[in-house]
Each structure stands twice: as structure tokens, then as C-alpha cells.
């Protein structure tokens, strides 16, 4: 799957339940879109009169259909403003600048796959369901929402060729998801979880308590609270020949920027991996949700937008 910068057209906008806007994106010339695999996301440039920001959205449609991409975008007034701005400016026929697709949430081969989407976290699960159905693989999709009247994509899920594998759970009804219903752990059983941070930690904690190996619990965060506080430490940017001190409440990205070293960032919440950088010396204090537990233990890479140091000094390949 290649990563490209593209200008795509909003072919359709649908304001769905639960403050979720569904956008259908196409190439303005009608050309096929780049190939994707389930779990992929794109970065969308949200440009307003006063600001520009990149936001990450999972692709929700059938990965085999290269005529269009589907996004589901939750309007979150309490967040940093990207989703509200996009809800304001997205119009049928308008163009959006995007990069991607990228995929760090891809499906692995498994005898049985369980997909758990909380709210708008159902979006990558839809793409996964299409792909698993096309493979003839055994899977269940569990979609958890606060109530039926907030269940976006309901029409699509009911009409989908995999509808019999979909289970909807509403917090205010008997169908509310009970973690007792999680499957037993097995070598060939994999779980995929996406949703708000509280949903993620609740379900991941329950799956781990049930005995599922961390490597079998695949996770995709949409947003995360970032805590960049901690003691000061030094960062040597070896390729640039510059050493900076990272203050108690600032990120490595901010400290490096003071010395003229620019690190590309997108989410600034430790979820997209854009700022991932090689670590040459020292021990990072990983605070991101991008790297796996194994990659964090390896300490050879770190996300500079949110992670800090457990050692007094870090040497980075930048
Ligand atoms: S900018 Fe997204 S992980 Fe750092």
C-alpha cells in the first residue's frame, strides 16, 4: 500500500446518527483510488480561515472497491476543533487534501476474528468485515453504542453481505455488551478494538484479564490524552549536531523546534506514528498508543510528540 498526497472530491455527505458525518470520497477525474487493506486510515487536511490541521480517519468501506472511500467523522466539540471544522466545511463537490493511505491496524491470519467497535470506532471494523467476508473467514463484529439512536452506519450494517455476523450492543438496552461474552483465548483467535479511550481501556483490560495475549489484542486509538509532563532531560539530535533540554511540561518536538529542528507531526497525540524517530542511545519513556508493547520494549524508536525519557539523555537519529 503506497502513501500518497491526493486531492479527492466529496461525492456525498450524509449526516448520520450519533453526530457522525459520512463522507464518500472519489477521485475528481474518476480514476480508481489507490489500493487499500482493511484497517487503513488517511490523514485529512482540515483548513479553516485561521488554522490548518491534519486529522486521521479510518476508511470504512469495502477495501476491494476502488471507486470511492468512506469516512465516518464524529463531531466532537470538546476536542481540538478538527472534527467540528470538518463538519462545517465538508460539502458535496468540495475537495479535500489527504495523505495516505497507511495501515498499522491490518488483519492477521486467524481462525477466528472478533471485531469490537465503540461508537465511531466501528469505521475500521466495517472495512475489516468486508475483507474477512471476502476471504470466507470466521468473524464476529460487535458494535457498541450508547443507544440505538446513536448507531451510525446501522443501515449499511443491516444491508451488508456479512449482516449475520454483526451484533449491535446499546448501553441503555438489554443488548448492552457484557465482557463475560468475550471469547476464550486461543492461539488462532485475534481481537481488534477501536473506539473512545474509555471503551478501549475497559475492553483491553477485560481481554487481558481473560488471558488474551497482548499481541492478539489489536488496537486503534482515535484520540488520546497526552501527558508530556515529567523531569527535564537532554536530547541530542545527532545528525543535526544539536543538543536541547526538554523542559518539565514540553514535548521533544517543541524543544527541538526551539533550536530550529522541525519534526513532522500530524496527530500530536501519539496515535498516528508520523513523528516516529530512531533512538540511538538512552531509554525512552513511551507514552504513545502507536507502538506495540514489543516495539516499546525494543526501545529503538519513539514518538517525539508525546514520549519522554527514563534516562537523563536520549540520542536520536535526527
Ligand atoms: S504526530 Fe502522531 S504520533 Fe506523533
Amino acid at each position: 500500500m503506497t502513501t500518497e498526497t491526493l486531492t479527492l472530491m466529496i461525492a456525498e455527505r450524509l449526516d448520520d446518527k450519533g453526530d457522525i458525518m459520512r463522507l464518500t470520497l472519489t477521485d475528481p477525474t474518476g480514476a480508481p483510488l489507490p489500493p487499500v487493506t482493511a484497517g487503513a486510515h488517511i490523514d485529512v487536511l482540515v483548513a479553516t480561515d485561521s488554522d490548518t490541521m491534519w486529522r486521521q480517519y479510518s476508511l470504512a468501506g469495502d477495501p476491494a472497491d476502488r471507486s470511492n472511500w468512506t469516512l465516518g467523522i464524529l463531531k466532537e466539540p470538546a476536542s481540538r476543533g478538527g472534527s467540528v471544522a470538518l463538519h462545517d466545511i465538508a460539502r458535496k463537490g468540495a475537495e479535500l487534501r489527504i495523505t495516505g493511505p497507511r495501515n498499522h491496524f491490518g488483519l492477521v491470519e486467524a481462525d477466528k476474528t472478533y471485531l469490537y467497535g465503540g461508537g465511531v470506532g466501528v469505521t475500521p471494523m466495517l472495512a475489516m468485515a468486508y475483507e474477512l467476508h471476502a476471504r470466507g473467514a470466521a468473524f464476529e463484529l460487535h458494535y457498541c453504542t450508547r443507544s440505538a439512536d446513536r448507531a451510525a452506519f446501522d443501515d449499511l450494517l443491516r444491508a451488508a453481505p456479512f449482516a449475520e455476523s454483526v451484533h449491535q450492543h446499546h448501553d441503555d438496552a438489554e443488548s448492552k455488551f457484557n465482557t463475560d461474552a468475550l471469547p476464550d483465548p486461543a492461539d488462532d483467535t485475534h481481537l481488534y478494538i477501536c473506539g473512545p479511550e474509555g471503551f478501549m481501556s475497559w475492553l483491553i483490560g477485560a481481554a487481558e484479564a481473560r488471558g488474551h495475549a497482548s499481541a492478539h489484542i489489536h488496537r486503534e486509538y482515535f484520540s488520546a490524552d497526552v501527558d508530556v509532563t515529567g523531569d527535564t532531560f537532554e536530547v541530542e539530535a545527532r545528525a543535526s549536531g544539536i543538543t536541547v533540554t526538554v523542559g518539565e511540561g514540553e514535548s521533544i518536538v517543541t524543544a527541538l523546534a526551539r533550536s530550529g529542528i522541525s519534526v513532522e507531526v500530524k496527530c500530536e497525540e501519539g496515535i498516528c506514528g508520523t513523528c516516529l524517530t530512531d533512538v540511538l542511545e538512552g531509554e525512552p519513556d513511551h507514552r504513545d498508543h502507536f507502538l506495540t508493547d514489543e516495539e516499546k520494549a525494543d526501545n529503538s524508536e519513539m514518538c517525539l510528540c508525546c514520549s519522554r525519557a527514563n534516562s537523563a539523555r536520549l540520542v536520536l537519529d535526527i
Side-chain angles (χ1 to χ4, degrees):
M1 195 160 52
T2 54
T3 297
E4 302 179 33
T5 300
L6 299 168
T7 298
L8 299 182
M9 189 179 75
I10 299 174
E12 219 172 293
R13 169 180 174 154
L14 174 73
D15 290 300
D16 204 343
K17 292 185 273 187
D19 289 326
I20 291 174
M21 167 178 73
R22 279 159 57 175
L23 295 183
T24 304
L25 306 182
T26 57
D27 187 292
T29 69
L33 296 172
V36 297
T37 51
H41 73 271
I42 57 173
D43 303 303
V44 176
L45 182 65
V46 184
T48 66
D49 290 344
S50 57
D51 206 0
T52 58
M53 49 205 138
W54 288 94
R55 292 293 179 264
Q56 291 70 44
Y57 297 106
S58 294
L59 299 179
D62 181 354
D65 183 356
R66 294 180 59 187
S67 68
N68 67 80
W69 286 343
T70 301
L71 306 181
I73 299 165
L74 172 65
K75 189 174 191 175
E76 292 182 282
S79 73
R80 296 173 297 159
S83 65
V84 172
L86 201 45
H87 271 251
D88 281 348
I89 62 180
R91 306 249 182 286
K92 182 174 178 175
E95 292 188 334
L96 286 180
R97 193 114 174 104
I98 71 113
T99 63
R102 292 187 292 163
N103 195 350
H104 50 77
F105 192 48
L107 287 164
V108 300
E109 288 292 332
D111 274 359
K112 192 76 192 273
T113 300
Y114 293 84
L115 310 173
Y116 299 96
V120 75
V122 75
T123 46
M125 304 310 174
L126 276 160
M128 287 178 165
Y130 278 113
E131 191 164 304
L132 289 163
H133 178 74
R135 287 185 197 173
F139 76 95
E140 293 178 13
L141 192 169
H142 294 268
Y143 179 22
C144 304
T145 58
R146 294 210 295 272
S147 56
D149 62 5
R150 296 192 62 79
F153 292 101
D154 178 54
D155 57 330
L156 194 152
L157 286 163
R158 289 180 189 279
F162 49 80
E164 76 283 358
S165 302
V166 176
H167 308 267
Q168 293 208 35
H169 307 278
H170 309 303
D171 290 351
D172 64 352
E174 271 185 31
S175 59
K176 179 176 179 172
F177 187 74
N178 185 333
T179 54
D180 291 345
L182 283 167
D184 290 328
D187 283 349
D188 282 325
T189 294
H190 284 254
L191 279 50
Y192 295 79
I193 302 175
C194 182
E197 203 166 2
F199 173 82
M200 302 281 294
S201 53
W202 166 67
L203 208 46
I204 291 167
E208 286 176 342
R210 188 64 168 266
H212 288 276
S214 180
H216 285 215
I217 308 171
H218 307 269
R219 41 202 102 180
E220 174 90 326
Y221 286 83
F222 276 153
S223 65
D225 292 331
V226 183
D227 175 12
V228 292
T229 58
D231 294 338
T232 61
F233 57 96
E234 283 198 335
V235 167
E236 177 187 337
R238 182 151 290 170
S240 309
I242 284 174
T243 297
V244 299
T245 300
V246 182
E248 289 180 2
E250 69 178 354
S251 69
I252 296 176
V253 168
T254 306
L256 288 171
R258 265 204 317 277
S259 294
I261 300 173
S262 166
V263 178
E264 187 186 355
V265 292
K266 284 209 167 90
C267 72
E268 298 180 73
E269 293 184 333
I271 53 178
C272 75
T274 302
C275 63
L276 199 64
T277 301
D278 287 343
V279 178
L280 302 175
E281 292 174 28
E283 185 188 329
D285 172 6
H286 297 285
R287 299 188 182 184
D288 63 280
H289 292 296
F290 178 75
L291 294 171
T292 64
D293 289 347
E294 290 73 19
E295 289 166 336
K296 286 178 180 171
D298 188 47
N299 279 337
S300 61
E301 295 178 295
M302 68 184 295
C303 290
L304 303 189
C305 67
C306 59
S307 294
R308 296 182 67 82
N310 286 327
S311 51
R313 181 180 175 82
L314 289 174
V315 181
L316 304 176
D317 188 14
I318 188 169

